[in-house]
């Protein structure tokens, strides 16, 4: 139901056109300049340029395929957010309502997925596919104390932050959540 509501809300996303400089990461010149730098993998644009390179090779000049990919990834993040909410709250209705509010929130999502002046989708959304499951596995690790869950959490977190260095902001969650967990368990 969540995916159906989200898919209907954002059904026109794949019909957008390119505007302004938001798709600069899909251009070969930008990619060559970025990858030509020393220590390019430390740049905050790593996710944008890497996926821009991949998408420009796979999709060529068919920008509608790019938008369909953004649409599918958007729906995936909504499902992952539900998974995180159900894992933490253990209440399906609460998880569903929280996920729907996020999924259909025009003001929260439009700048990330639309043809805004920067390519937020390439820069910031793809790493979320790693960070949301990392948070789920962190919670499961704290809850069940299974080492495998903690290892999955760390690996997904490192991949998410490694791809999109802006996502280092989520480190607060991974630092304070276990501390709060320990305090509230007492």
């Amino acid at each position: 139901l969540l995916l159906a509501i989200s898919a209907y809300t954002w059904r026109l996303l794949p019909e957008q056109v390119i505007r302004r400089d938001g798709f600069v990461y899909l251009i070969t010149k930008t990619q060559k300049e970025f990858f030509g730098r020393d220590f390019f993998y430390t740049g905050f644009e790593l996710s944008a340029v890497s996926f821009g390179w991949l998408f420009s090779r796979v999709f060529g000049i068919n920008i509608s395929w790019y938008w369909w990919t953004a649409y599918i990834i958007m729906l995936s993040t909504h499902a992952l957010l539900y998974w995180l909410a159900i894992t933490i709250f253990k209440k399906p209705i609460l998880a569903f309502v929280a996920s729907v509010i996020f999924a259909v929130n025009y003001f929260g999502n439009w700048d990330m997925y639309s043809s805004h002046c920067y390519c937020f989708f390439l820069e910031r959304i793809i790493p979320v596919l790693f960070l949301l499951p990392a948070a789920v596995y962190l919670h499961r690790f704290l809850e069940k104390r299974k080492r495998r869950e903690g290892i999955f959490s760390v690996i997904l977190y490192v991949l998410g932050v490694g791809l999109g260095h802006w996502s280092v902001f989520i480190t607060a969650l991974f630092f304070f959540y276990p501390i709060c967990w320990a305090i509230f368990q007492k």
Side-chain angles (χ1 to χ4, degrees):
L1 185 58
L2 168 69
L3 292 178
I5 292 169
S6 179
Y8 181 76
T9 302
W10 296 99
R11 70 190 179 284
L12 299 178
L13 183 72
E15 297 177 14
Q16 291 190 84
V17 296
I18 298 175
R19 292 184 4 208
R20 299 167 85 178
D21 63 343
F23 295 88
V24 70
Y25 302 117
L26 299 171
I27 299 170
T28 304
K29 181 181 176 189
T30 303
Q31 296 163 4
K32 285 182 181 177
E33 179 184 310
F34 179 79
F35 290 125
R37 297 177 189 164
D38 292 335
F39 304 107
F40 68 87
Y41 47 84
T42 62
F44 72 93
E45 299 168 315
L46 181 62
S47 174
V49 179
S50 299
F51 286 102
W53 176 87
L54 177 67
F55 292 159
S56 65
R57 300 304 181 272
V58 173
F59 304 148
I61 59 170
N62 190 341
I63 198 67
S64 68
W65 290 359
Y66 170 86
W67 285 120
W68 276 103
T69 302
Y71 184 63
I72 290 166
I73 290 175
M74 172 190 263
L75 295 176
S76 299
T77 60
H78 298 164
L80 289 171
L81 184 68
Y82 176 79
W83 184 35
L84 176 62
I86 194 81
T87 301
I88 293 173
F89 301 128
K90 310 278 191 260
K91 300 198 181 295
I93 300 219
L94 181 61
F96 176 75
V97 170
S99 300
V100 166
I101 289 171
F102 173 76
V104 300
N105 184 342
Y106 173 82
F107 295 104
N109 287 315
W110 180 251
D111 275 348
M112 294 187 292
Y113 293 102
S114 70
S115 54
H116 186 44
C117 63
Y118 293 105
C119 214
F120 289 121
F121 165 69
L122 287 176
E123 290 176 345
R124 299 182 179 137
I125 302 307
I126 295 173
V128 170
L129 294 176
F130 298 101
L131 296 171
L132 286 173
V136 169
Y137 284 115
L138 173 65
H139 180 83
R140 289 170 59 173
F141 169 73
L142 294 171
E143 196 174 53
K144 299 175 183 179
R145 291 290 180 202
K146 290 187 178 178
R147 176 179 245 161
R148 183 179 57 140
E149 308 283 342
I151 291 170
F152 281 154
S153 178
V154 169
I155 289 170
L156 291 170
Y157 169 77
V158 168
L159 283 171
V161 171
L163 283 174
H165 301 323
W166 67 269
S167 50
V168 75
F169 292 123
I170 204 164
T171 300
L173 169 76
F174 287 89
F175 181 75
F176 290 114
Y177 193 72
I179 293 170
C180 293
W181 181 272
I183 291 170
F184 289 112
Q185 287 301 308
K186 293 180 181 180

